[in-house]
Amino acid sequence: MITLVVTACPAGLRGDLTKWLLEISPGVFVGNVSARVRDSLWERTVGLCKDGRALMIFNAPNEQGYDYRVHLHSWEPVDMDGLTLMKRPNAREDYQRARTGWSKARVYRRAIRR
């Protein structure tokens, strides 16, 4: 059993995935396919997705009972003592990285005050 979630991907990819999987909501596909077909669908999804995001969850013979793959996602899988967990990005770090300096308006107002 697999679940494949695509975001901001071309409509052609969604149409292609419906050949093998059932689309239960826009961009959410569910199905029961072999590992060979699953890997082929993932390669095709990554190839056609371009700037969009993709996340696939599937059954696996491990302690969790499932595994997942991500493509261009802000959350990234991290292995913690044999368990694969999703690491969420820290909102504060993203905000601090986004601010590279003062805005042009702030610099202009400050120059006028001096």
Side-chain angles (χ1 to χ4, degrees), residues 10 15 29 37 50 57 72 74 76 85 93 105:
F29 298 88
V37 172
K50 299 178 184 169
I57 304 165
L72 295 179
S74 59
E76 60 185 58
L85 305 174
E93 289 176 5

Side-chain angles (χ1 to χ4, degrees), residues 14-27:
R14 290 176 57 191
D16 195 34
L17 291 174
T18 56
K19 294 176 189 174
W20 295 95
L21 306 170
L22 178 66
E23 188 171 15
I24 60 172
S25 183

Side-chain angles (χ1 to χ4, degrees), residues 1-4 20-22 29-33:
M1 179 87 166
I2 70 168
T3 302
L4 180 62
W20 295 95
L21 306 170
L22 178 66
F29 298 88
V30 178
N32 194 7
V33 295

Side-chain angles (χ1 to χ4, degrees), residues 15-101:
D16 195 34
L17 291 174
T18 56
K19 294 176 189 174
W20 295 95
L21 306 170
L22 178 66
E23 188 171 15
I24 60 172
S25 183
V28 180
F29 298 88
V30 178
N32 194 7
V33 295
S34 67
R36 185 177 184 182
V37 172
R38 178 192 70 215
D39 293 338
S40 176
L41 285 174
W42 180 249
E43 289 174 14
R44 189 154 178 87
T45 301
V46 170
L48 293 174
C49 206
K50 299 178 184 169
D51 295 332
R53 298 183 312 180
L55 170 72
M56 183 170 66
I57 304 165
F58 54 93
N59 292 339
N62 58 17
E63 286 187 25
Q64 289 175 302
Y66 61 89
D67 200 5
Y68 40 88
R69 297 178 186 166
V70 295
H71 172 68
L72 295 179
H73 236 272
S74 59
W75 292 33
E76 60 185 58
V78 177
D79 186 18
M80 300 288 276
D81 295 330
L83 294 177
T84 307
L85 305 174
M86 292 298 279
K87 179 182 175 186
R88 265 177 30 179
N90 188 349
R92 180 176 290 164
E93 289 176 5
D94 290 343
Y95 177 74
Q96 289 174 350
R97 273 189 241 138
R99 292 192 63 198
T100 57

